[in-house]
Every structure is written in structure tokens, then in C-alpha cells.
Amino acid sequence: MDRWHHIHKVVVVGLGITGLSVVNYLRKYQPQVAVQVIDTRQSPPGLELLDSRIPRCIGDWQLDWLLSADLVVTNPGIALATPQIQQVRDANIPVVGDVELFAWHVDKPVIAITGSNGKSTVTDLTGVLANASGIKTAVGGNIGVPALDLLQEDAELYVLELSSFQLETTQHLSVVAAAFLNLSEDHMDRYISMDDYREAKQRIFLHADTAVYNADDPTTQPDTAVANRLSFGLHHPADYTLAEHHHTSYLCAHGQPVLPAADLRLVGMHNIANVLTVLALLDAAGVSYQSGLDALKSYTGLTHRCQLVADNQGIIWVNDSKATNVASTEAALSGLHLKGTLYLLVGGVGKGADFSPLADYFKALPLKLCCFGRDGKQFLALHPSAEYFDSIENIIQIIRPQLQAGDMVMLSPACASFDQFRSFMHRGDVFTELARRYA
């Protein structure tokens, strides 16, 4: 079906990496279409890379362009409830996102992943394991490379991370397997309710051959009819789970052992669940991953997400700087198994959060709590071991002589970084450099 037959004029709303990828795609694959660009920001990112011949309206809406378009392609950051976009929809002009254009074009199998937490790790690891298994796989979407740019790669399989915002404007994405990992409160400035947010995530199952859902989170079960369903989970019966075989804990698929859990270098039970999801997705896509298991064993995680950055003399150093809220730190600590003491670095800018839910996690661990940053003193009452330090460097210098084999040093701050660092990435890089220097 040629969806472009009646489309002569396209307005792209929002520049940045995604908007530029849409413009470049249209110029390359649909050169017969007239393209116009609108961005209400005064200095939108990517403006200097936009072909000077393309008409643009910067710093304001150009409503007459929108209402004379055959198709409007909007950036995921722009809510469909925006009055100008609502006027377009009321005029029966289709409003889509870049992933919908990808769906119209792609002719190879696609795996798609969504969820409130963990989707970047699952997406990345799915690509790593598929490539290691001999399937040429392109990875992108909400992580790294925009979906349309992936079409330039000679891929046999595409793996996409999709946000709820992207799914709102996607109607026709057919996937061999789709995963909905979990649901927790987020983006409540965009959604009316949690049900509204969940409904957007559920769109990932619209045209899925297999739905992969979390047996431990009922909200992830597909609402729509899907030909096949696979579950992963750690606490409820699931197709992909942990089980004991010969006194050893294994990751299992349909009751069959795949890999001893101890062979993974990933840290935290949430990452065990992430790996189980990857196995389910690849099985659903028909990818035989047995030959790629060495890549899975050596995978240390995405940068700044429970990333193993040093392991020396039995002392493990973990960079989880991406944990900028309480829920992320809870995930990092949940089910953590230690031979020695956990030296946990917390603090920064708390954004008004209530840190008290962490106290139960702290109580369950052999812990030394190391607090730093603007709001670090708010953690002091949560554990008897808590101590306040001026900086991350000060913490590492003082604890280094105490560290022994079996100990873990983890940066999982539960706070934003902009009191002492440029970004959470900068914070994680500083920790990683110190870890490697002192390891």
C-alpha cells in the first residue's frame, strides 16, 4: 500500500535530532513531497544543519502551513493536546511521528520495547546479543539513533526503544515481538492519569505477533488480542524466570536452563529481569542466541546505568549515576547479593523527593551509607552508618583503605547532579575515573 500517493505537502513540527532525521528521510525517499519546518523555539537544536532551501518558521506557529498540509510529522516532545496540533487533527489532517514513517517503510522484522524503567538496557542488550548471534541488527528509536536513520543500515533486524510519547503518534508499526517492561508514575505533567499513561504504552501491542509482559506487574499485560504471549518475572510464575538446577540459580526459558545467573556481570535483580526479557524477545523473533551467550556474559550494562566500571582484588565498583530519583535507586538495591559491605554513595539535588522509602532497602543490606551534595544530609537519618562528605572524591579517598574483597562501591545517588556536576553523565564519569584510579 502506497501511503504517499495522496501526500504532496508535509509539515515537520520540531527540529532537533528527530526532526532533522524526518527531513532527511523525506528528501531522500520522498523527494516529490514539499517539506516545511516549524519550531516554536527561538534557537532550536539542529537549525544550522537544516538545508537553507527548506522553508522554516522559527519561534512561532505557522498555522496556515499546518492547516494546508496533507501530513504533519510532530516531534515526540510536543503533546497531541497542544492547541495548534489539536486544530490540525480537528481538520482531519493526519498527525504522525517519525516511528510511524519508519513503520510505513520498513520491510524487515522489528522488535519494540517500552516501559517506565529499564527499556534502554533491554533495547541495547537485545541488539548486542542478536548481533553476537550472527543477525545483523540495527538499534535505535528513543535510544541513540532515530528510527528513520536506521533505514540506511543494511540490517536484518531492527530493535527499537519506544517512549509513550512516540507510541501516541504510531498507528501501523508491525513487530515480531513487543515488550512492556513495567509501569511506574512518570510524565504526569503530560498525562491526565496513570491509566492514560498506561494506555499510551499499551499501543506497542497494536500489531505485535508476540507480546512480552512482566508477570510481576499486571499493568503490562496486553489489553488487545495478540497471537502469542510470553511472560518474564522473578516473583510470579513466568515463561522466563530464575530457577534452581543442581543447587545453582539459572535463567530459564520455559523451564529449560539457559545460563547460570552467576555468569552475568550485570548488577542487580532488575537486570536479571531485563536479561529474561531479552531472551523472550529473541526467542519470539526466531533468533538462536546460544552462540552469542559469551557476549551476554561479558555485558556490563549501559554507561551510568548499574554499569560495572572496575573489578579489582574482589572489590566491585558500580556506576549508577543515571539513578536521579528514588525509584531508580530502589531498583538498583532490590535483591542485591553481596559477599561483603556495600558502600553506597547518595546525594545531590533531591528535587523535593521523599527519601524515606529507601530506609527499608538500606536496612536489608550490609551497608555503609556515604552522603554528599546539596541534599545529602537528608539521608543521614535513614541508616546508622550514614556519614556526610564534601565530595565523591573525598568519599573514595576515605573509604579506599577500608575496602576488602567482596565489597561493592556503588554510586546510585537518588538525586539530580547539577549542584556539583554538569550532568548525571559528568557525575558518572568522575566516579568512574576515581574508581579506576583507586581500584
Side-chain angles (χ1 to χ4, degrees), residues 102 106 108-111 137-138 150-151 153 155-160:
F102 174 90
V106 69
K108 297 291 195 302
V110 179
I111 290 172
T137 305
L150 296 178
L151 295 171
E153 301 184 30
E156 301 171 277
L157 174 69
Y158 295 94
V159 181
L160 298 182

Side-chain angles (χ1 to χ4, degrees), residues 64-378:
D64 58 328
W65 286 7
L66 288 168
L67 294 176
S68 62
D70 300 308
L71 179 71
V72 171
V73 185
T74 185
N75 189 287
I78 299 167
L80 290 177
T82 303
Q84 292 82 357
I85 298 298
Q86 200 57 56
Q87 278 186 260
V88 173
R89 298 177 81 192
D90 289 345
N92 291 317
I93 298 166
V95 176
V96 303
D98 66 313
V99 177
E100 178 69 3
L101 299 188
F102 174 90
W104 295 358
H105 186 113
V106 69
D107 59 358
K108 297 291 195 302
V110 179
I111 290 172
I113 296 120
T114 196
S116 299
N117 294 299
K119 56 185 178 290
S120 295
T121 297
V122 171
T123 303
D124 186 60
L125 183 51
T126 300
V128 166
L129 190 48
N131 275 308
S133 304
I135 307 298
K136 192 168 183 185
T137 305
V139 178
N142 195 49
I143 175 179
V145 182
L148 290 170
D149 288 0
L150 296 178
L151 295 171
Q152 298 171 37
E153 301 184 30
D154 182 26
E156 301 171 277
L157 174 69
Y158 295 94
V159 181
L160 298 182
E161 173 188 318
L162 298 179
S163 70
S164 56
F165 299 168
Q166 289 170 310
L167 288 164
E168 287 175 26
T169 53
T170 302
Q171 300 278 351
H172 298 99
L173 182 64
S174 295
V175 296
V176 290
F180 185 175
L181 305 180
N182 46 56
L183 188 73
S184 60
E185 191 168 271
D186 205 356
H187 305 304
M188 289 299 105
D189 54 343
R190 173 106 164 212
Y191 294 106
I192 299 167
S193 64
M194 282 292 287
D195 285 343
D196 191 33
Y197 176 40
R198 176 179 181 267
E199 198 173 298
K201 295 279 192 196
Q202 280 279 335
R203 293 176 65 82
I204 201 164
F205 296 135
L206 280 176
H207 305 287
D209 294 337
T210 298
V212 176
Y213 68 92
N214 186 347
D216 299 332
D217 185 346
T219 64
T220 66
Q221 290 199 31
D223 291 341
T224 52
V226 183
N228 305 292
R229 296 181 180 216
L230 293 173
S231 60
F232 67 92
L234 299 172
H235 307 297
H236 293 82
D239 299 310
Y240 293 77
T241 190
L242 278 182
E244 294 291 318
H245 281 267
H246 306 298
H247 308 293
T248 301
S249 184
Y250 273 83
L251 281 75
C252 294
H254 302 287
Q256 298 301 308
V258 176
L259 189 74
D263 283 4
L264 295 175
R265 302 197 79 200
L266 286 167
V267 175
M269 290 301 288
H270 66 300
N271 272 326
I272 298 280
N274 288 339
V275 175
L276 292 170
T277 311
V278 172
L279 300 181
L281 287 167
L282 292 177
D283 277 339
V287 175
S288 178
Y289 48 73
Q290 291 295 329
S291 62
L293 289 180
D294 282 346
L296 175 55
K297 293 177 190 177
S298 62
Y299 185 79
T300 56
L302 285 176
T303 308
H304 311 299
R305 293 174 174 88
C306 272
Q307 177 198 13
L308 180 64
V309 293
D311 182 355
N312 192 29
Q313 298 175 320
I315 302 164
I316 294 171
W317 302 72
V318 178
N319 168 22
D320 190 34
S321 187
K322 182 71 163 61
T324 58
N325 57 44
V326 170
S328 294
T329 298
E330 287 177 346
L333 299 180
S334 181
L336 202 58
H337 296 296
L338 297 159
K339 295 175 183 174
T341 299
L342 173 65
Y343 289 80
L344 180 65
L345 281 62
V346 294
V349 179
K351 299 177 288 185
D354 175 13
F355 300 122
S356 61
L358 289 168
D360 286 340
Y361 291 85
F362 294 164
K363 192 186 303 179
L365 292 164
L367 182 68
K368 168 63 181 173
L369 192 62
C370 306
C371 313
F372 68 94
R374 193 186 80 183
D375 295 327
K377 291 181 180 176
Q378 294 183 27

Side-chain angles (χ1 to χ4, degrees), residues 379-393:
F379 292 87
L380 291 175
L382 301 181
H383 195 268
S385 73
E387 187 177 348
Y388 185 81
F389 299 83
D390 291 337
S391 66
I392 287 178
E393 184 163 16

